[in-house]
Amino acid sequence: MPRVGVFVCWCGSNIGGVLDCPALARAAATFPGVVYATDYQYMCSDPGQKLIAEAIKEHRLDRVVVAACSPRLHEDTFREVLARAGLNPYLLEMTNLREHCSWVHAGEKELAQAKALSLIRRAVAKALRLTPLHPGRVKITRRCLVIGGGIAGIQAALDVADAGIEVVLVEREPSLGGKMVLLDKTFPTLDCSACISTPKMAAVAKHPLIRLYTYAEVEKVEGSLGNYRVTIRQKARYVDHTKCTGCGTCWEKCPVKVPDELNFRLSTRPAIYLPFPQAVPSKPVIDARHCRQLTKGKCGVCQKVCPAGAIDYTQQDSLHEEEVGAIIVATGFDLFPWEKAYGEYGYGRYPDVITGLAFERLVNASGPTGGRIVRPSDGREPRTVVFVHCVGSRDELKGREYCSRICCMYTAKHAHQVKERLPEAKVYVFYIDIRTFGKGYEEFYRRVQDEGVIYLRGRVSKIYQEGDKLIVKGADTLLGEPVTIAADLVVLATGVVPARGAEELARTLGISTDKDGFFQEAHPKLRPVETHTAGIFLAGACQGPKDIPDTVSQASAAAAKAVGLLLREEIEVSPLVAWVNQALCTGCLHCQVVCPYQAIEVVTEGGRRRARVKEELCQGCGSCTVACRPGAMELKGFSNEQILAEVEALCR
Amino acid sequence: MSVKEWEPKIVAFLCHWCSYAAADLAGVSRFSYPPNVRIIRVPCSSRVNPQFVLRAFAEGADGVLVAGCHLGDCHYVKGNYYARRRLWVLQRLLEFVGMEPARFQVHWISGAEGAKFAETIKEMVDKVRILGPNRLFQEVKDICVG
Ligand SMILES: Cc1cc2nc3c(=O)[nH]c(=O)nc-3n(C[C@H](O)[C@H](O)[C@H](O)COP(=O)(O)OP(=O)(O)OC[C@H]3O[C@@H](n4cnc5c(N)ncnc54)[C@H](O)[C@@H]3O)c2cc1C
Ligand code: SF4
Ligand code: SF4
Ligand code: FES
C-alpha cells in the first residue's frame, strides 16, 4: 500500500479564511492510504517546501497530495520539491482548494468545507494510483531541411545557416526564386523584385552551410522530431554541374524552340536552358521532353559545343539521403486554374485575356517584351485595359471561398504600371471589396485612383471577342447599372491555391492540410509557424495566401523556431503520453484514425498486428484512449483506473 | 435523508487548456457559484470516455458536465470534435433510457470565460435541483450490483 502524505495550504487567508484547514488535515489523515497529513500557512514558500521535503523523508511518503491552489500555477513547483526529496516528481497530485473552492464559495462555509474534503478525497484516490514516470530524452541531429526555394525558403535557409546550423535546401525547379523572381516591381514601394531577391539567391548558393539541391524533390521522410531521415530525388539534368561553367554556349546553339512556360508562352526557349538570366544555380538543364537527342536520338549539338564536356545524355535520376533534426516547409502557391472554371471569360481561348502573373512578365524589363505592355495577339499597345478581381477567390461556386489577400494590391500595382507606361490608356478595375490591410497599402490604392484608374464595384459576368476588341460585360453595383467596356487587354486577378503536389507532400511529412489544402498551422493565433507534427515548421504561402512582407516574417519566425530546437543537445519529451497494453490490443487501429499527431504506428510481431505509440510524437490528448474498445490504449497520468477512482471518490 | 438536506452533486470533467482555466479564472475573479460541483481535470475533452459519465451517474452523481475549448480552439486541434460526436451519442442514449437532458450537459468554455463557467454551473445546479436526486442509475445499480 502506498504511503500518502496530505499537505493542506492556508494560502494565508485566501483558503484559511474560508476553510478550516486543520480540520481538513485531521479528516484527511483518516483516509485509506494516508499516513501523514498536516496544514501550513504557505506551502509554496521556502519553509513550506522544506516542510514537505522533510515529511517525505521522515514518514517515508511515496505519494504526495498538495491541497492548495491550481496545478496550473504550482504543479511544477511541488514536483521539484518531490524530486529534491528523492521522489519521482510524477507521484504528486494537487487539488485546487483556492480557485475552485474558497474563492468562489466564501458565502457558504459549511458546504465549502464539505466540498474541500471531497476534493482532497479525490486527490488521494488518484494519488494511490500514480506511478513513477520518466520524461523521454531524444538526441537531436543539428541540421535543418528546407523544402521549397521561393523567398520563404530562401529567407528561412539563410536565417538558419547564419545561426551556424547546416541547411539542406530542396527546390524542385531548375532555379531558386519562386514567384518573386518573376515579378517586376513589388507593391506598395515599387522596388524592383529581382533586385531585392537575386542577391539573396546568390547568398544561398555561396553559403558554406547550405547544401542546395535544385531540380530535386523530397521523396521519403522517416523518423521523428530531432531525427529525420530524408530521401531526396535529384532529377536528371543531363548536364554535369560539377563540370559545367555556365558559359552559355549550349543554349545559344540548341536548335529547339519551345514556348517558355515561365513567360506564359509569350516567348520561346531552347531545350537546354537557364530558366532566366539570374538563375541560381546559373547552370542549365535539358528539358527531356523536348530535347531531340533524348526523344529522337539525333542532334547532340550541345554535347559537341560544350567546352567543358559537361553534357551527359545518359544521366539518370539519383537518390540522396540526408539526416536532419527539423524541417521547414516553404512550398508556396500556384495560381487558380481559371481556364478550367470560368467559361464566361472564355476558358483561356482569347489570347488577350491574361493572368496577373503573365502581366508581371509583360511589364518586366527582363521579360519577353523587354517591358513593353502589348497585346499578346498582335503586339499592339492596348488603349483600354480591364482588370478583374477575385477570379477564383471569394467565389464558392466556381472557385474558392477564401480571399487570396494579394490580388487587390497587385492589381492596383498593375493598374499603376499601365498608367505609368501608357498614360493615354483607359484603365478599369472591377472589384467586390478592396482589401488594403498592410502598411502603406491604403495610401497606394488612393494614389492609383488619383492617377485616373476607374474602380467599378461589381462582378464581370461575361467576356467575349468582337473583332479585335474584348467585350467586357459587368455591373456597377454602386450605381445599379450594367456596364459594357470594349477592351484591348483583360487581366484576371487569379486567386492563390496551394502548390501542386502539396497534398502528397503533406502525406510524406505526416502534417495536415486545412479545408483549402494549405498546410495547417498548430494554432491559428499562438503557433502560426509550427505544425501539429513536432519539429516541422511552415513558412510562406504554403500555409495560406501571403504577400512578400508576411512571407518573409513568417520564414524568419519558422527559422527561429527551428534554430531554437536545433541548438539543444537533446530534448525532453513529456511522459504524460499514451501507451498500448499489448496484451489487450486487437490491432483494430481505431486509435490511429483519431490521433491528431500521427503518433500511432503499427507493429507486427509473430503475425499479430498491434498499435504502438511513438512517444516523441504523442502530445497526450487522450483521444485514442476513448476510441479503443478493448481498453488497451491508456494515457499515463490520466489512466482509466485513475479517473474512475476520482469519479468514485467525488460521488461518495 | 430528508428532502431538505439533499444537495445536488455534480461532477465536471474539464479540459486542462480551456475549461479548467475558466474555472480558475472564475476563482481569481471571485465569481461565486453553488458549491455543488466537483471538478476532475482531463487533458482534453476527448479524454472523456462515456464510461466515466455513466460511472458518475451510477455512483450517485445527480448531474455530469463535460466542458472543453470552443470548437476549432482545442489545444489538440480536433479533440473536442471527437468529444462532441461521442458525447452527443451518449446524450441521445441517456435521453432514450429516460434521463432528463439537463443532467448531462456538454459546454464549450474558453479560458477567458470565467463568468460563463460560473453561469453554466449556476444554471445547471438550478435545473438539477428542480429535477431532484438522480434515481434512474441508482436503480440500475441496485439491480446489477445486487
Ligand atoms: C501576380 C502576382 C503579383 C504579386 N505581386 C506582389 C507584390 O508586388 N508584392 C508582394 O509583397 N507580393 C506579391 N505577390 C505575392 C508573392 O508572389 C508571394 O508572397 C511570394 O511569392 C510567396 O513566397 P513563397 O516562397 O511562399 O512561395 P513561392 O514563391 O511560390 O515559392 C515556392 C517555391 O517552392 C517550390 N516548391 C513547390 N513545391 C515544392 C516541392 N514539393 N518540393 C520542392 N520545392 C517545391 C516552388 O518551385 C517555388 O520555387 C504577387 C503574387 C502574384 C501572383
Ligand atoms: S484502438 Fe486499441 S485495440 Fe485498436 S489498435 Fe489501438 S490500442 Fe489496439
Ligand atoms: S494521446 Fe493523443 S497524441 Fe497521443 S497517441 Fe493518443 S491520440 Fe495521439
Ligand atoms: S484541449 Fe480543451 S477541448 Fe481539447
Side-chain angles (χ1 to χ4, degrees):
Chain A
M1 183 83 171
R3 298 172 63 82
V4 185
V6 178
F7 299 85
V8 184
C9 180
W10 290 55
C11 194
S13 63
N14 282 305
I15 298 173
V18 176
L19 304 174
D20 179 351
C21 296
L24 287 174
R26 280 194 304 276
T30 67
F31 293 167
V34 177
V35 297
Y36 179 73
T38 190
D39 58 289
Y40 185 69
Q41 279 286 334
Y42 291 103
M43 282 296 171
C44 62
S45 69
D46 253 357
Q49 296 192 23
K50 269 206 200 90
L51 180 152
I52 299 175
E54 275 160 20
I56 290 174
K57 290 191 187 126
E58 193 183 328
H59 301 278
R60 289 178 292 116
L61 304 178
D62 58 10
R63 300 290 187 282
V64 173
V65 169
V66 178
C69 55
S70 175
R72 294 173 66 253
L73 279 176
H74 271 320
E75 196 167 50
D76 287 341
T77 314
F78 293 115
R79 276 193 181 144
E80 279 161 29
V81 175
L82 266 67
R84 281 202 301 275
L87 264 192
N88 182 287
Y90 291 89
L91 297 174
L92 166 81
E93 180 63 20
M94 284 189 75
T95 195
N96 194 338
L97 296 188
R98 193 179 69 177
E99 283 83 341
H100 294 183
C101 194
S102 64
W103 273 351
V104 286
H105 309 318
E108 298 171 89
K109 289 196 178 163
E110 215 171 298
L111 287 173
Q113 184 79 7
K115 170 170 173 175
L117 197 58
S118 157
L119 296 184
I120 296 173
R121 189 181 286 117
R122 174 205 70 75
V124 171
K126 182 162 182 188
L128 287 170
R129 290 160 181 87
L130 291 175
T131 52
L133 299 176
H134 305 276
R137 294 192 157 274
V138 204
K139 274 218 178 317
I140 293 205
T141 308
R142 191 168 288 172
R143 295 178 90 223
C144 184
L145 171 70
V146 178
I147 309 175
I151 188 61
I154 291 172
Q155 184 67 42
L158 287 173
D159 283 359
V160 173
D162 284 345
I165 291 169
E166 246 183 275
V167 173
V168 178
L169 175 56
V170 179
E171 163 59 53
R172 73 175 166 200
E173 297 298 329
S175 170
L176 287 178
K179 308 289 180 302
M180 184 173 171
V181 79
L182 303 177
L183 306 179
D184 178 43
K185 296 206 163 94
T186 55
F187 62 73
T189 45
L190 296 177
D191 36 1
C192 148
S193 190
C195 313
I196 56 179
S197 62
T198 51
K200 281 190 181 280
M201 292 159 59
V204 167
K206 279 206 309 272
H207 207 296
L209 289 180
I210 301 180
R211 177 178 297 188
L212 178 61
Y213 288 88
T214 53
Y215 214 39
E217 280 185 62
V218 169
E219 186 147 298
K220 197 163 83 185
V221 175
E222 294 164 304
S224 58
L225 172 61
N227 299 284
Y228 294 101
R229 210 168 31 258
V230 183
T231 310
I232 296 163
R233 173 176 293 271
Q234 172 69 63
K235 290 177 268 186
R237 299 181 175 108
Y238 308 101
V239 178
D240 182 344
H241 277 203
T242 57
K243 292 185 186 154
C244 171
T245 61
C247 69
T249 318
C250 55
W251 65 78
E252 276 157 25
K253 296 284 156 50
C254 173
V256 177
K257 292 219 172 341
V258 285
D260 187 346
E261 50 286 77
L262 281 189
N263 281 336
F264 295 86
R265 316 172 90 80
L266 299 171
S267 64
T268 59
R269 61 156 173 83
I272 183 163
Y273 71 110
L274 207 58
F276 46 88
Q278 312 94 323
V280 170
S282 59
K283 294 174 184 180
V285 298
I286 295 182
D287 165 7
R289 278 205 352 261
H290 294 103
C291 166
R292 279 187 203 163
Q293 182 66 35
L294 291 170
T295 52
K296 304 209 176 71
K298 44 182 185 253
C299 178
V301 168
C302 53
Q303 192 170 48
K304 277 173 221 139
V305 300
C306 175
I311 310 294
D312 174 7
Y313 299 120
T314 64
Q315 208 179 59
Q316 303 276 318
D317 286 6
S318 53
L319 295 180
H320 304 257
E321 282 222 338
E322 296 283 358
E323 311 238 315
V324 296
I327 300 177
I328 298 175
V329 190
T331 51
F333 68 103
D334 273 323
L335 290 179
F336 178 78
W338 72 279
E339 298 92 335
K340 297 204 183 88
Y342 283 83
E344 64 268 45
Y345 300 167
Y347 288 127
R349 253 179 304 141
Y350 312 130
D352 298 332
V353 177
I354 63 173
T355 64
L357 201 51
F359 183 88
E360 293 281 348
R361 301 307 295 153
L362 267 186
V363 280
N364 198 318
S366 62
T369 60
R372 279 181 55 235
I373 302 174
V374 296
R375 288 160 42 110
S377 62
D378 54 14
R380 276 198 303 123
E381 284 184 348
R383 303 175 53 170
T384 304
V385 183
V386 170
F387 290 91
V388 183
H389 274 194
C390 298
V391 178
S393 313
R394 308 177 67 200
D395 182 352
E396 278 166 77
L397 238 48
K398 292 209 161 65
R400 307 298 163 90
E401 194 184 347
Y402 56 83
C403 164
S404 290
R405 287 179 62 116
I406 56 173
C407 326
C408 283
M409 283 307 294
Y410 77 59
T411 300
K413 172 181 72 176
H414 295 166
H416 160 80
Q417 285 170 314
V418 176
K419 277 292 186 190
E420 186 186 51
R421 311 260 165 107
L422 309 168
E424 299 302 311
K426 287 206 169 63
V427 182
Y428 299 92
V429 179
F430 281 91
Y431 71 100
I432 306 178
D433 297 292
I434 296 289
R435 296 182 170 178
T436 53
F437 46 85
K439 190 166 168 175
Y441 289 12
E442 180 67 18
E443 295 88 324
F444 184 80
Y445 162 57
R446 289 285 161 97
R447 166 177 163 195
V448 172
Q449 279 181 308
D450 290 344
E451 286 168 353
V453 173
I454 298 163
Y455 275 77
L456 298 164
R457 190 174 198 274
R459 275 212 191 260
V460 167
S461 54
K462 197 158 181 60
I463 300 171
Y464 57 93
Q465 189 102 38
E466 211 172 82
D468 69 346
K469 289 282 187 190
L470 289 160
I471 308 301
V472 180
K473 283 189 171 294
D476 183 334
T477 54
L478 295 182
L479 293 178
E481 281 174 1
V483 187
T484 303
I485 297 168
D488 300 304
L489 182 67
V490 175
V491 184
L492 306 178
T494 40
V496 169
V497 295
R500 160 180 60 87
E503 201 74 31
E504 279 155 75
L505 187 64
R507 242 170 282 132
T508 308
L509 294 169
I511 60 177
S512 37
T513 51
D514 63 22
K515 70 179 203 324
D516 302 312
F518 292 105
F519 299 129
Q520 176 78 53
E521 65 280 7
H523 192 285
K525 287 128 208 157
L526 302 179
R527 295 169 71 196
V529 301
E530 291 156 85
T531 63
H532 297 302
T533 306
I536 303 188
F537 307 95
L538 302 177
C542 64
Q543 179 261 349
K546 255 178 218 69
D547 56 14
I548 296 164
D550 284 3
T551 296
V552 172
S553 328
Q554 204 193 16
S556 288
K561 284 280 174 196
V563 169
L565 169 70
L566 294 173
L567 284 182
R568 285 186 263 171
E569 291 293 329
E570 48 176 28
I571 40 168
E572 205 170 79
V573 289
S574 163
L576 302 176
V577 291
W579 68 281
V580 181
N581 182 337
Q582 299 283 324
L584 294 181
C585 175
T586 62
C588 67
L589 298 183
H590 288 312
C591 52
Q592 196 181 44
V593 180
V594 298
C595 177
Y597 303 96
Q598 278 92 18
I600 297 169
E601 62 179 359
V602 195
V603 286
T604 314
E605 243 174 83
R608 222 187 112 180
R609 197 172 73 154
R610 290 194 194 88
R612 202 188 75 89
V613 177
K614 298 196 223 173
E615 295 197 348
E616 63 284 8
L617 292 185
C618 172
Q619 305 289 311
C621 64
S623 297
C624 54
T625 56
V626 183
C628 178
R629 284 177 208 165
M633 188 62 88
E634 275 285 14
L635 187 62
K636 293 180 191 165
F638 295 95
S639 71
N640 289 331
E641 191 206 354
Q642 288 165 349
I643 297 176
L644 288 172
E646 292 179 79
V647 169
E648 282 173 23
L650 288 182
C651 289
R652 275 194 43 189
Chain B
M1 193 193 282
S2 74
V3 180
K4 208 166 164 249
E5 271 171 39
W6 174 77
E7 278 291 329
K9 197 182 290 168
I10 291 169
V11 175
F13 296 93
L14 306 186
C15 90
H16 172 84
W17 302 97
C18 281
S19 304
Y20 193 91
D24 280 3
L25 182 61
V28 174
S29 327
R30 313 294 200 278
F31 294 141
S32 60
Y33 52 84
N36 306 69
V37 62
R38 312 277 194 266
I39 292 166
I40 294 178
R41 183 168 62 116
V42 286
C44 172
S45 59
S46 67
R47 175 64 189 96
V48 179
N49 196 318
Q51 184 201 359
F52 303 161
V53 178
L54 295 175
R55 180 71 69 93
F57 282 126
E59 294 293 335
D62 303 302
V64 175
L65 167 72
V66 177
C69 316
H70 284 266
L71 293 171
D73 287 348
C74 171
H75 184 75
Y76 308 97
V77 203
K78 296 191 269 190
N80 51 8
Y81 286 103
Y82 296 135
R84 180 174 66 162
R85 207 175 317 156
R86 292 165 183 161
L87 300 174
W88 185 84
V89 174
L90 180 63
Q91 278 176 321
R92 297 293 87 81
L93 176 81
L94 288 174
E95 258 182 78
F96 179 74
V97 299
M99 179 170 283
E100 304 87 341
R103 291 197 193 273
F104 175 46
Q105 302 190 17
V106 179
H107 291 277
W108 312 120
I109 306 174
S110 84
E113 296 175 328
K116 179 173 173 187
F117 177 77
E119 232 15 76
T120 306
I121 301 300
K122 264 185 231 162
E123 281 175 24
M124 186 163 179
V125 171
D126 284 349
K127 283 191 184 149
V128 173
R129 197 183 290 282
I130 294 170
L131 293 175
N134 156 38
R135 304 234 183 266
L136 183 70
F137 273 60
Q138 265 344 99
E139 286 153 20
V140 176
K141 199 187 168 197
D142 291 346
I143 298 166
C144 295
V145 186

